[in-house]
Amino acid sequence: MTYTGWILLTASLVGLSCGIVGVFLILRRMAMMADAISHTVLLGIVTAFLITRELNGPHMLIGAIIAGLLTALLVQWFHSRGVQQDASIGVVFTTLFAIGVILIATQVGNAHLDTKHALMGEIAFVPWEVMNVPLLGEVPKATFMLAAVLLVVLVVILAFYKEWKITSFDPALAASIGIPVVLLHYVFMSMVSITTVASFDAVGAIMVVAMLITPAAAAYLWTDKLSIMLVLSGAFGVISAFAGYYVAVWLDTSISGSMAFATGIVFLVSFLLSPKHGVLSRYIHRYERSVHEEQQINAVS
C-alpha cells in the first residue's frame, strides 16, 4: 500500500471506531467525558512509563485504561455526592491532566515523551513505524492497533447491542429488568479509553475528541434509529478523514487538524440540511404549514 493509502486507512479506522463509540457518548449525554478521558489518559501513560521505563508495550495501554476508568469513577463519585456532572468532569479532568503534565516536566527527563507528543500526534509519521504481521507483511503499528481496537469495539457492541440500547435510552428501566447498568457503564468507559489511547499517538487528542463527538452529533440529526445512527456516524468519520487529508494536501497544513475541521463541516451540513432537525428543513416545513393554513382560511372565507 502507498504512503497516502496507509494514512487514509489509519484515519478511517479512527473515524470508524471513534464514530461508533461516540454515538453512545451522545446518547448518554456524556460528550465532555470524551475530552476529559482524552487528556487524563496522559497520566496513565506517564505513570506506566515511570514504572517500566519503556515507551512501547501493552503497559502503556493498560495504564491509559486505568486512568480512563479512574476518571469515570471520580466523576461518578463526585456526581453522586451532589456535584453537578459538568463540574465533576471539569474538576477531575483538569486535576488529573495537570498531574500528568507535572510528572512529565519533573520526572520523565530526556525520554521522548512530552505534552506535544502525547496530545498532538502526527499522522504523517504513521507509515514509518511498522511491524511484521503474518500474512500481511509490514503494517504500521498504529494501523494494526486501530484495526484491533475497531474489532473489539464491534464485537462488544454487537454482543450486547440490546443492553447498550436500553441503558443508553432508559437506564432506570434497564436496572429494573436486571441489566447490570453500572458494570456496562464501566465497560463502556473502558472502550472509550482504549479507543482514545489507540488513536492518541497517531492523530492527537484534538482529532480524537473531534471524531468521538462531531460525527455522532451529525448522525443524531439525521435519524432516530440507533442502528442507522451508528452506520452514519462511522461513515461521517471516514468521509471527514478523506476530506481532511486532501484539504491538508491542498493547503499544505496539519493533516489531523484538517480532519478535525472536516468533521465540523460535516456537522454544519447536517445541521442545515438534515430532513428532520435541519435549519432549512424546519424553515421549509414552517413555510408549507403557513401556506396551508392560509389556504384553509381563504377556503373558509
Side-chain angles (χ1 to χ4, degrees):
M1 188 179 290
T2 63
Y3 173 82
T4 298
W6 284 122
I7 291 177
L8 290 174
L9 176 59
T10 304
S12 297
L13 290 171
V14 173
L16 280 170
S17 55
C18 290
I20 293 170
V21 171
V23 167
F24 294 100
L25 281 172
I26 293 293
L27 293 177
R28 291 164 179 254
R29 301 179 186 276
M30 299 174 65
M32 288 308 298
M33 280 297 290
D35 190 28
I37 289 178
S38 69
H39 286 76
T40 57
V41 292
L42 176 64
L43 176 59
I45 292 172
V46 176
T47 304
F49 170 76
L50 291 175
I51 293 172
T52 63
R53 291 292 166 177
E54 293 288 339
L55 277 173
N56 297 312
H59 57 278
M60 289 297 212
L61 184 60
I62 294 170
I65 293 171
I66 292 173
L69 288 175
L70 178 62
T71 303
L73 280 167
L74 289 175
V75 168
Q76 189 66 29
W77 186 78
F78 281 122
H79 184 53
S80 67
R81 295 299 184 275
V83 182
Q84 292 184 356
Q85 188 169 35
D86 55 349
S88 302
I89 292 173
V91 170
V92 174
F93 156 36
T94 53
T95 302
L96 295 185
F97 178 60
I99 294 172
V101 172
I102 291 170
L103 287 175
I104 286 179
T106 60
Q107 301 295 325
V108 171
N110 295 322
H112 182 53
L113 181 64
D114 51 45
T115 51
K116 182 177 180 181
H117 176 265
L119 300 178
M120 304 296 294
E122 181 50 71
I123 196 170
F125 297 154
V126 163
W128 304 115
E129 297 185 21
V130 299
M131 60 184 293
N132 283 311
V133 179
L135 302 179
L136 297 178
E138 289 190 342
V139 175
K141 292 180 181 179
T143 307
F144 180 79
M145 180 177 288
L146 285 164
V149 167
L150 176 60
L151 180 61
V152 170
V153 167
L154 289 174
V155 168
V156 172
I157 288 178
L158 291 175
F160 303 100
Y161 181 76
K162 291 182 179 178
E163 288 80 0
W164 295 124
K165 189 174 184 179
I166 296 173
T167 55
S168 297
F169 287 103
D170 195 339
L173 173 62
S176 68
I177 60 177
I179 295 176
V181 177
V182 175
L183 176 61
L184 285 175
H185 171 74
Y186 290 114
V187 170
F188 176 66
M189 287 296 101
S190 298
M191 278 201 303
V192 175
S193 299
I194 292 171
T195 304
T196 301
V197 176
S199 309
F200 222 65
D201 192 46
V203 300
I206 294 175
M207 182 176 160
V208 172
V209 175
M211 286 291 191
L212 277 170
I213 302 305
T214 318
Y220 186 81
L221 294 172
W222 287 92
T223 181
D224 295 327
K225 191 171 182 180
L226 179 58
S227 57
I228 297 176
M229 198 180 300
L230 290 167
V231 173
L232 280 178
S233 183
F236 287 157
V238 174
I239 291 170
S240 299
F242 274 76
Y245 176 78
Y246 288 107
V247 167
V249 171
W250 176 45
L251 297 177
D252 190 22
T253 187
S254 166
I255 298 175
S256 295
S258 297
M259 289 177 180
F261 171 74
T263 64
I265 298 300
V266 169
F267 177 80
L268 180 61
V269 171
S270 301
F271 181 71
L272 292 174
L273 301 180
S274 63
K276 185 174 181 179
H277 301 288
V279 173
L280 294 180
S281 299
R282 288 201 299 266
Y283 174 79
I284 292 171
H285 290 325
R286 282 198 301 267
Y287 176 76
E288 291 176 344
R289 187 166 58 248
S290 64
V291 170
H292 180 67
E293 289 174 352
E294 185 178 348
Q295 289 175 345
Q296 287 182 325
I297 293 172
N298 292 334
V300 172
S301 60

